[in-house]
Amino acid sequence: MQTFPKHGVSRRDLLGSAGLLALSGALVGCGVARSGFTGQPPAANVLTYWNLLGGGDGVRMKEMEAVYQKANPDVDLEAVTLTWGNPYYTKLSLATLGAQPPDVAISHLTRVSTLATAGLLQPFPPEALARHGMTPDKFVERAIQGGTIDGQIYAIPLDTHPFVMFYNTDICEKAGLLDSDGNLKDVDDPEAFIDAMAAAKGITKAWGGAMSTIADPATDWRCFFTLYSQLGGTLLTGSAPEQIVETDKAVEVLKYMRRLTVEEKVMPTDIDYGGAVALFANGRAAFYFEGEWEVSTFLTAKMPFSMQRYPLLFGEEYAVQADSHTFVLPGQAEIPDDRLDRTLGFIRSMLDQGLTWGGGGHIPTWLPVQESAEYKAIKPQSNYADVAESAVYDPPAWYSGSGSNFENIAGAVIGEVLTGRSQPEAAVTRMQIGISKLARTPSPL
Amino acid sequence: MGTATTLPPRTAETPATQPHRRDRRTLSGLGFLAPFLVLYILFLFGPSLYGFVMSFFNASLVKGGLSSFAGFGNYAEAFSTPEFWSALWHTVWFTILTTPPLVVLALVFALLADRLVRGRWFFRLVFFAPYVLPSAVVALIWVWLYTPDLGLLNDWVAKLPGNLAAPTWLGDPSWAMISVALTTVWWTIGFNFVLYLAGLQDIPRDLYEASAIDGASPWKQITRITIPLLGRTTTLVAVLQVIASLKIFDQIYLMTGGGPDFATRPAIQYIYDVGFTDYRVGYASAVSMVLFALILVVSLVWFWLVRRQERVS
Amino acid sequence: MTRQRLFNGVCIGALIAFALLWIMPFAWAIDTSLKPEAETTIVPVTWGIENLTFDAYTKVLGAGNILQWYFNSFVISTLIAVFSVVFCSMAGYALSRIRFRGSTFVFWFILAGIMIPGQALIVPLFREFAAVNLIDTYWAVILPQIAAPVAVFVFKQFFDGVPRELEEAARVDGASRLRIYARIFLPLSRPAISAVAIFTFVWSWNNFLWPLLVLTSTPLVTLPVGLATVSSAYGIQYAQIMASAVLGALPLLVVFLLFQRRIVEGIAGTGLKY
């Protein structure tokens, strides 16, 4: 205590603080401050909309929001993009529990059942949907059914977004991988696929393909689940470790994935999401594997590329991991009709802009758009529209869904295999034990 | 009101003879304490009790109330869950990684700066400035420095002799915590540095002069005079550092999200994950209580150390 | 003597080397933020800026809510600092100067609070605020942070050092306790007030976990939470990210430059750690 300064706050200090105060006060209106103190929403005409769409998706969503805003000048659309994955759903849950949810939010279809069972969502009343022309028959059945729980519709699907393959047309041509039409030759075979990437590696002098392997469990899970489903593997048939994933099939898939990075070295072992995008964008990798949404990034980069469904490497029947972005109504209390109508008007506007959204790679689930000639004319984005039929979704469970604990645990060990730090057998065991523990925990819902 | 008894020595106070005065004093004492105590009970003491109670129930975030009684079930689950132990270990591992450099480097910096006659303020500014930054800013800057391929640090490593390959700083499970620790050292060393600078001010200059006359080298002066006399500062720095490190959350959540492969998820993030992401608040409360107990033990050790040092001096 | 000088020279050299290392991340952030986006990802890395631009700053300031977040942080931190100083100094005064029945108990009761780590209370606290419908208001952030036992003891220790004669003289004149506290103790304790105020301000400005949990709507979040959770929706744009980092660093760097001596003396005097 002895070393306190002799005198207190000086005039200079006070002036400084006063300056700061005046500056901040002048910069910002006081409407927000009032709601900060009273908890009241800032204004009645504000429509809040939360999403987790970054990257190219974010750019397109912004465009669509602008179109809506222009057509509805009396509504003040307040759209917020939040960090993807668990942080997003945690924040959505907390806001809803704190009675301050957004009017409408994006949720992955695989997350809807958890949110709805937890009592955090309001269902869409069928008559209100009909009022806005959004009857269930106008959606891809698989997607609208996925959001229907006990006969009540909790989610309006915007798209189906499968895991796909991008390829650099220049490099592939030089490597002799294109047919006479300029499309990629058939790589639907484990060895042919590796050969193609090896050939491309000869041209790039760096890598054949790229997929993010570190700090990105979701991507690793998408790739694994695609191949595992092609093998006909099942998930979560019970809560015992061997019922989480089928050991033999999972090991087979992981062995193959490990070959790509560690043994054949056609893909890098240690690369994060941004790094993988960059490798493909600047031509140091000829193939890139991710959800189709990254198409916007490569269109912006004005690079020579095309895309198609992820190859069928195992088994006979095509399968691919996918999920859907859906609109949900967060809230624990019934929504007043006028608010609901405004929100539904917004959702309808987003659905009607399915061409913009589809341009970002997503397969529209709103049939008026999906079946339109305009959508079919968007290339290469509509190349893989038919895989929506073969889409496999994450299994339902309170700890499952896009970016969930399930994906984090499974994806993390898959990533360890891809980086060469873990052996396939050990990884499968860890995956089984880790998820089995969650499966045995009584559901908190 | 007699002037002589306005402020009696404590032992001379005889409550039996002055009940009226005592009541008034109690009233005014509690009056002064009331605003603080109300908030203290509502937001610190009360929640601690509530958390303790909740830890014995299967409480869910999305259901009201406490739900069914779990007995010691939540504790039993925590102690038998590898994730809990690994999260606790990450917290301890982070503490082990950060405390020695944060104490030793801070001491070194302070010893070096103490030899300056002029310009000490500059180094104080440089070393302390990072400390006032929000964790979010620190994370943004360092994630960029650590970016594979494009980051500055990779570039530096590539320029080192020996053709080393830079580690994937935040992406490699065995490096991620070290990288976070490195960032933390940069971020928070200023605080300890300032404490040491103040400690150095308290060492009488004539001690150095006397030893210089005896022919002691600067190194001898440091090891024989300075460091031993800084003992109390070192205890303070070390214990504050350990307690702060045990509460690690921000920079890990922001830089790695607890990954890769959960290799950096600390105890507080585990509480956050199970409580808010998984909605299992009963279980999360049990984990909180364990962490609480751990920090309490460290704090008590500190008290004990300080008291012992006081008795010695 | 030459040995002494040589030693000093080596010390200063080492110190300068460390200082350069410590400045590097800042410098690199500023450097990146002033580059056009395309130049940020060039390998090998270069420090030079060929086409200096403030694009990233205009974009960040224009697109985001960053000014709003400044304002929120400022309001919240200021109120916490003011309330902490008032409430904690009152409590510190009572503990230091008023002997009443149970004062020893209260002393230990508050002292015990120093050991309660706030982070371990997030779960019960959140439920508390949700129950009274204060989630997503400034109050949810402000109220729990006022009750800082450490600040009480900083004031108590300070008041313990105030000579009793001053107080006795006032009591002779018939001044009430409140008057003595407000007219004698508070003016005398400016150093303690400024230490507690500055520290509480900085600490609450930088607090992350709790505001992350309770401030849910974007216009209301504090600066660190906003920077960390709201993505720009324009992909990975390093220049913009660094511009937002620099903007996020500015306010407290200014506070630090203004109050440098006081902060440093405050740490040395109290060992306050946030």
Side-chain angles (χ1 to χ4, degrees), chain C residues 59-70:
Chain C
K59 282 216 179 97
V60 168
L61 287 170
N65 293 309
I66 203 163
L67 294 179
Q68 181 67 55
W69 299 337
Y70 275 143

Side-chain angles (χ1 to χ4, degrees), chain A residues 1 13 21 36-37 50 80 83, chain C residues 74 138-139 157 218 229 262:
Chain A
M1 288 306 294
D13 299 342
L21 178 68
F37 285 114
W50 284 10
V80 182
T83 313
Chain C
F74 189 80
Y138 292 154
W139 299 115
Q157 273 189 4
T218 313
T229 58
R262 218 165 307 283

Side-chain angles (χ1 to χ4, degrees), chain A residues 2 86-87 90 93-94 97 115 118 120 214 270 272 284 398 405 408-409 412-413 416 421 430 437 441 444-445, chain B residues 60-63 77 80-83 147-149 168 171-173 202 253 260-262 272 276-280:
Chain A
Q2 70 282 18
N86 266 340
T90 305
S93 304
L94 294 186
L97 289 167
L115 290 171
L120 299 175
I214 55 176
D270 289 276
D272 65 1
R284 290 166 67 205
W398 66 267
N405 289 344
N408 284 341
I409 292 173
V413 294
E416 288 298 278
R421 282 186 276 267
R430 277 185 59 204
K437 181 131 186 51
T441 305
L445 305 180
Chain B
S60 159
L61 185 65
V62 293
K63 287 190 268 194
E77 183 186 341
S80 66
T81 301
E83 282 79 18
T147 304
D149 252 20
T168 5
D172 184 334
D202 293 344
Y253 178 82
D261 194 11
F262 301 101
Y272 172 92
F276 294 108
T277 304
D278 300 349
Y279 308 146
R280 301 184 61 214

